Amino acid sequence: MNQISVNTSTLSANPNRIRSRAIRANLVAYGFMTPAIILAILFFVIPAVLVVMLSLTDLSTANFTADISLMNFVGLANYRTLFADQFVQKIFFNTVFYVLVTLSLFNIGAALLVSLLTMHVNRRAGFIYRALWLLPRITTGSVYVLLWRRIIAESPFGILNQINGWLGQPSINYAAENPWTFVILVNGFVGLSFGMVIFTSAIEAIPKDLLNASLVDGSTLLQRVRYVVMPLLRWPLLFVMTYQTLSLLTSFEQTLLLTNGGPGLYQTEVWALTAYHRALSNYFGNAQWGYGSAFAVVLVLVGVTLAVIYMRVFRFRELVSEPKIEVL
Amino acid sequence: MVTDTLVKTVSNAPQSTLPAFLLMIWRGLRLALITSIGLGLGAAALEWVLRPALQSVNVEENFTATLSALLVGFLPVSFYIAGGTAARAGRKNGWISALLAAWIVACIGYSLLTAYQVATGTGIFRQAPSLGFDLRQAEAGVEVVSVDVGGPAETAGLQVGDIITALRRDPVTADDLQSRIAQAAPEDAFRLRIQRGAEELQLTTHVGLINQTDIAAWGRGLIAALVIAAVALIIPPRFIPHLLVILALLPLLAGYLWLVIATFSQRTNGLLPIDVNGNIGGWTLANWGFLAGKNAAGSTVNILVVTLNSLIIALAMTAVSLVICSMSGYALSRMTFPGRRLFLSMTLILHGFPAVTLIIPIFFILINLGNIPIIGQLIGYNSTGGIALVMIAFELPLGVWLMKGFFDNISWDMERSALIDGASRWRTFWEIILPQIRPGLLALGIFSFIGGWNAYLIPATYSVGTGLATLPVYIRQLSGELAPVNWNQVAAVGLFQLIPIFIFFIFAQEYLLNIYAGGTKGSS
């Protein structure tokens, strides 16, 4: 109210002054935004365009140049090579397998289980457990993977094989025999904490009356979970699912450090790791930036699409709220 | 009437215990059956649906097999636990009968397992391929120590004291022969060349299956079943969540425990510290010599430079992120300007967008930035500034979104009065608003610092040589596969790197828990 009256009085007094004031306010706002805009353009907008352009060139170590005008454009040749590549099918299904299994077992399944379990113990203990689950996420990849490599190492060094020895079992070379299991475990233990925190706060927000009412009605624990908690968790579940699908699709640091796509031929290679290998870390010293970019473009497209979709679905209401202070 | 009921109750009491007892068993069996069907269906889906599907598309994995083996292995255990759980309700009528009921269910489970193993010849009742003799490595060859009566070896004519010199024509050792027999299929022929006294002859034996029933193992299994059932009966329900969470945390805890133990010992076998002679012990501080510039092997390391690199990147990230994110967060929260909606939706979309997919083109951006005169050296490819800049950018959407959320949540009365009093927007922001969102700044600051301190992928990708190595990159180089790795040395550097992380972890768990879930809680 106050504001409007101020505005109208100044408007009637001097229209030119109010317009120049508005322009100045806009300039101030852009001033505040400038650093972020520059960074976003430099490291998001230009790269997103550039990756598509690179994927249309045959840029490799042999004809390396950082100048776009000197690059040799070859049309869709990289994409044709990509679809003809005999290992692409394997890498694609590796990725599907990895994302689906890790997502369902850890990022959602175990996350939900851990948040339900830690809410059924006393507050302090539950908090400590949840904090402990955060450790893999805040430990740097190379140390975290180092721990796992020692867990699965061969006898006499590995912890698992030490237990095998106590039980009279032979030593197993887990890294060679069961690489996928540990790729999934290593990534799953990191990914779990995201869903855990979201689910915990969502469950905490469930009105206690509902749970009490179901208790009075004589429900069992499983019934309460199925009919009271789960329906109210639908949106958090969907959110975690989409968000984590995307992060699993594109994260490859742990896999790079643990198996680097091996030990068999492309045995644990996922799509994002392939893009990285082709373009930035090639065994043969021949970096194929053009071909690697073709792999990356596929991920960028999936990433943008999913990001747009779920931000539309999940955050749109918050987005449209207008700021509280108008121009003064 | 009253006496009638009393008499009825008393006379009913002894009779009603038997049905109650049977009811406990019935409930236990029902629970076990339901769990088993669930586990069985899970294993079947893995074995007959997922695994063939994955095989048909060339995914080489043992994960489904491992998981289904775990599920099947848990089948008998589910009987023991179900027996104990179902009997829990009957504890108030008498501990003995409840325990008995639990054990009966457990025994039914165990006898089913035994019957299965006998029928299929697996597990404790497995039948192993054998030739029916005992061997010992002698100087001349493999000596036959004893021959089973009626076994394949005796049938073929082997005698005690024979020396086996070769299998077909290949010389053979005792271990080698044993392992070949263990891998053989029934009726496989073994042509053995034998030295008997001065005479040399050749005998052909056929592998037979011999029961290797291990009664002691069967007894141990039974005791384990009874113990599990008893524990499931006795354990208070409120301990069960603790138990499950700790069980799931075990690999992590073991890993971190190893890190601490390994740091202070010469070598480790599993979780045991050992010295050079292989005895338990061997505590040492030699692994920490890298702090003074010498590693355990005695060669020099420049840990100071590496630590400084990490520290510079982390601090630069913290400072710059805080300034940039709070500025744009403030503008998005408190100002209207053309394009605000666009910026907001961009922030949101980038918040979800995985920036790591842009790692290839950013390589070219950095190379081109390096060509800018004067500042190019600072922010180009293979420079600390460039690495920090990329990481700040990757973190930008989350930071801006988080900061906007914090600004949205504070009252704008003070700000308004400052503006009315004629303070500039910048001054209001810097002197009035920023002090009010200290918790937000702290949260984002910790997040940025940890991000910079832990950075592996970006520094490893956008730098060459060791001059710009950060601690995580250095740790990776130490634990590379090419040279023999001194794991305890690596562990020491790893623990050193973890010190600030652990400090933040202990003092700022709450912030961390919120912010690592994408700042969803901090913003609303």
Side-chain angles (χ1 to χ4, degrees):
Chain A
M1 279 301 273
N2 200 355
Q3 219 167 297
I4 291 165
S5 64
V6 169
N7 278 349
T8 41
S9 63
T10 31
L11 191 72
S12 56
N14 192 340
N16 277 338
R17 216 169 128 202
I18 190 72
R19 193 178 304 134
S20 75
R21 214 183 240 188
I23 289 170
R24 216 171 63 209
N26 282 346
L27 285 180
V28 170
Y30 288 130
F32 272 92
M33 294 294 298
T34 306
I37 292 173
I38 291 175
L39 275 187
I41 289 175
L42 258 184
F43 294 108
F44 285 105
V45 180
I46 300 181
V49 178
L50 196 59
V51 73
V52 178
M53 286 177 70
L54 282 172
S55 75
L56 302 174
T57 69
D58 66 350
L59 195 68
S60 69
T61 314
N63 60 354
F64 175 72
T65 170
D67 188 345
I68 295 166
S69 59
L70 297 177
M71 288 175 190
N72 186 14
F73 282 84
V74 291
L76 294 173
N78 282 325
Y79 293 93
R80 277 195 287 274
T81 323
L82 192 155
F83 286 116
D85 192 320
Q86 56 171 327
F87 293 111
V88 158
Q89 190 214 7
K90 180 171 186 171
I91 292 165
F92 175 78
F93 284 110
N94 273 349
T95 315
V96 173
F97 163 66
Y98 161 72
V99 172
L100 285 186
V101 170
T102 318
L103 185 76
S104 55
L105 287 187
F106 285 92
N107 296 33
I108 291 184
L112 194 59
L113 204 64
V114 168
S115 58
L116 282 172
L117 286 174
T118 54
M119 295 193 73
H120 278 90
V121 298
N122 72 56
R123 265 188 94 75
R124 186 75 206 143
F127 183 77
I128 290 171
Y129 289 139
R130 285 196 292 277
L132 281 174
W133 274 111
L134 198 67
L135 274 176
R137 199 175 280 271
I138 59 170
T139 306
T140 183
S142 43
V143 175
Y144 174 65
V145 169
L146 172 77
L147 302 182
W148 276 99
R149 282 171 70 177
R150 288 301 293 209
I151 290 173
I152 65 174
E154 279 181 277
S155 187
F157 307 112
I159 295 171
L160 269 181
N161 274 321
Q162 191 178 35
I163 297 169
N164 277 344
W166 289 336
L167 297 176
Q169 301 291 318
S171 168
I172 300 169
N173 186 354
Y174 291 106
E177 284 178 19
N178 224 337
W180 265 122
T181 303
F182 289 96
V183 168
I184 289 166
L185 278 176
V186 165
N187 284 289
F189 269 62
V190 178
L192 190 148
S193 49
F194 180 85
M196 178 190 73
V197 177
I198 303 242
F199 294 147
T200 305
S201 51
I203 295 170
E204 263 171 359
I206 292 175
K208 289 282 168 291
D209 299 351
L210 276 178
L211 289 172
N212 288 340
S214 69
L215 268 175
V216 171
D217 291 348
S219 63
T220 64
L221 176 68
L222 285 178
Q223 283 172 332
R224 279 201 299 287
V225 170
R226 168 70 187 82
Y227 295 106
V228 182
V229 177
M230 292 311 277
L232 290 168
L233 278 186
R234 207 174 72 227
W235 285 105
L237 270 172
L238 263 174
F239 175 71
V240 172
M241 208 166 85
T242 40
Y243 200 98
Q244 294 286 282
T245 306
L246 204 48
S247 13
L248 281 172
L249 265 179
T250 53
S251 72
F252 58 90
E253 189 178 324
Q254 268 81 17
T255 314
L256 172 81
L257 290 166
L258 188 72
T259 65
N260 200 12
L265 194 59
Y266 296 105
Q267 196 175 351
T268 56
E269 183 109 342
V270 289
W271 198 274
L273 190 56
T274 313
Y276 184 80
H277 275 154
R278 301 276 174 185
L280 296 165
S281 163
N282 197 302
Y283 292 117
F284 315 109
N286 176 25
Q288 300 163 292
W289 288 283
Y291 190 36
S293 297
F295 277 91
V297 165
V298 176
L299 281 183
V300 171
L301 289 180
V302 174
V304 171
T305 317
L306 273 181
V308 170
I309 288 175
Y310 76 74
M311 280 312 167
R312 287 259 147 185
V313 174
F314 291 103
R315 292 285 181 80
F316 201 67
R317 252 174 305 145
E318 291 169 65
L319 174 70
V320 289
S321 67
E322 285 295 312
K324 289 169 181 165
I325 290 195
E326 290 288 319
V327 185
L328 267 168
Chain B
M1 276 298 276
V2 175
T3 38
D4 263 10
T5 359
L6 199 65
V7 168
K8 240 181 198 167
T9 328
V10 170
S11 62
N12 273 348
Q15 287 165 1
S16 67
T17 46
L18 190 63
F21 184 69
L22 288 177
L23 196 67
M24 274 193 284
I25 296 176
W26 160 242
R27 282 200 178 129
L29 285 176
R30 196 178 56 184
L31 188 59
L33 213 63
I34 293 169
T35 335
S36 308
I37 290 171
L39 292 171
L41 283 179
L46 285 168
E47 282 289 318
W48 294 322
V49 181
L50 191 56
R51 192 134 71 103
L54 287 169
Q55 261 164 4
S56 70
V57 290
N58 291 330
V59 176
E60 298 170 61
E61 50 82 41
N62 283 333
F63 178 75
T64 50
T66 313
L67 198 60
S68 72
L70 275 178
L71 292 181
V72 171
F74 193 71
L75 262 175
V77 182
S78 74
F79 264 85
Y80 318 149
I81 294 176
T85 316
R88 198 181 280 148
R91 280 188 310 189
K92 56 179 181 291
N93 294 334
W95 274 93
I96 307 290
S97 67
L99 189 63
L100 218 59
W103 278 357
I104 287 173
V105 176
C107 284
I108 291 171
Y110 198 64
S111 43
L112 284 175
L113 175 69
T114 309
Y116 171 78
Q117 289 186 341
V118 170
T120 56
T122 49
I124 295 163
F125 297 94
R126 74 179 177 279
Q127 293 181 309
S130 166
L131 289 177
F133 52 34
D134 284 329
L135 302 172
R136 191 184 68 191
Q137 185 70 41
E139 242 168 74
V142 183
E143 191 186 339
V144 179
V145 182
S146 70
V147 177
D148 293 356
V149 179
E154 198 193 39
T155 322
L158 255 80
Q159 293 170 8
V160 174
D162 286 356
I163 306 277
I164 300 167
T165 52
L167 178 63
R168 291 203 180 144
R169 275 183 218 121
D170 314 318
V172 73
T173 63
D175 290 344
D176 192 20
L177 191 57
Q178 302 273 29
S179 75
R180 273 164 191 252
I181 293 169
Q183 287 163 14
E187 293 307 310
D188 274 5
F190 274 73
R191 198 143 29 106
L192 304 169
R193 184 173 297 178
I194 285 163
Q195 189 90 33
R196 183 180 293 164
E199 161 188 28
E200 190 165 333
L201 55 138
Q202 203 157 25
L203 293 173
T204 305
T205 69
H206 295 276
V207 174
L209 285 175
I210 303 250
N211 281 329
Q212 301 213 321
T213 307
D214 191 346
I215 292 296
W218 187 86
R220 281 202 299 273
L222 181 62
I223 291 169
L226 298 181
V227 169
I228 292 172
V231 168
L233 173 69
I234 292 164
I235 193 168
R238 67 197 157 91
F239 285 162
I240 293 170
H242 288 278
L243 203 73
L244 289 175
V245 177
I246 291 173
L247 215 64
L249 274 169
L250 268 185
L252 274 186
L253 298 178
Y256 287 97
L257 190 64
W258 171 79
L259 191 72
V260 176
I261 292 172
T263 308
F264 297 107
S265 55
Q266 289 169 348
R267 279 162 51 188
T268 45
N269 282 355
L271 284 174
L272 298 174
I274 57 167
D275 60 15
V276 280
N277 300 321
N279 301 318
I280 292 174
W283 300 102
T284 176
L285 283 175
N287 297 319
W288 289 91
F290 72 89
L291 288 179
K294 289 253 184 250
N295 67 16
S299 54
T300 54
V301 281
N302 217 341
I303 195 71
L304 192 67
V305 172
V306 174
T307 312
L308 266 182
N309 283 336
S310 272
L311 203 62
I312 289 171
I313 289 182
L315 289 178
M317 265 190 76
T318 312
V320 179
S321 281
L322 281 182
V323 172
I324 294 183
C325 294
S326 57
M327 274 167 65
S328 42
Y330 177 69
L332 287 174
S333 169
R334 291 295 157 90
M335 300 177 187
T336 41
F337 53 93
R340 175 181 175 273
R341 264 184 81 116
L342 178 76
F343 286 126
L344 258 183
S345 35
M346 276 296 278
T347 309
L348 280 170
I349 287 164
L350 291 181
H351 183 23
F353 177 77
V356 75
T357 51
L358 297 174
I359 200 163
I360 301 169
I362 286 174
F363 173 71
F364 290 88
I365 302 266
L366 284 180
I367 287 182
N368 280 317
L369 280 180
N371 293 334
I372 299 172
I374 306 167
I375 59 162
Q377 295 291 314
L378 294 175
I379 56 167
Y381 175 71
N382 203 18
S383 73
T384 315
I387 291 166
L389 219 53
V390 175
M391 292 190 3
I392 292 163
F394 278 12
E395 202 176 273
L396 195 68
L398 172 71
V400 171
W401 183 246
L402 199 73
M403 282 295 125
K404 178 190 173 289
F406 277 108
F407 285 120
D408 282 347
N409 278 347
I410 58 170
S411 137
W412 44 279
D413 289 338
M414 276 171 80
E415 189 182 0
R416 233 167 83 89
S417 49
L419 286 174
I420 288 168
D421 287 350
S424 69
R425 230 37 219 248
W426 173 258
R427 199 170 156 202
T428 318
F429 165 70
W430 195 252
E431 291 181 8
I432 311 285
I433 301 298
L434 270 191
Q436 291 190 58
I437 57 153
R438 234 180 255 133
L441 293 174
L442 194 65
L444 184 62
I446 292 172
F447 180 76
S448 301
F449 186 88
I450 290 179
W453 184 252
N454 278 346
Y456 169 76
L457 197 60
I458 307 283
T461 310
Y462 298 134
S463 67
V464 283
T466 51
L468 287 176
T470 59
L471 272 170
V473 176
Y474 180 66
I475 290 164
R476 178 59 182 168
Q477 287 166 356
L478 279 181
S479 56
E481 287 132 49
L482 295 173
V485 180
N486 182 345
W487 292 102
N488 299 66
Q489 175 71 71
V490 185
V493 184
L495 191 61
F496 172 69
Q497 196 272 345
L498 274 180
I499 289 171
I501 304 291
F502 278 149
I503 291 174
F504 281 128
F505 177 72
I506 290 166
F507 292 107
Q509 294 148 341
E510 218 146 340
Y511 286 124
L512 291 173
L513 273 174
N514 291 340
I515 204 166
Y516 277 96
T520 41
K521 232 180 144 186
S523 66
S524 58

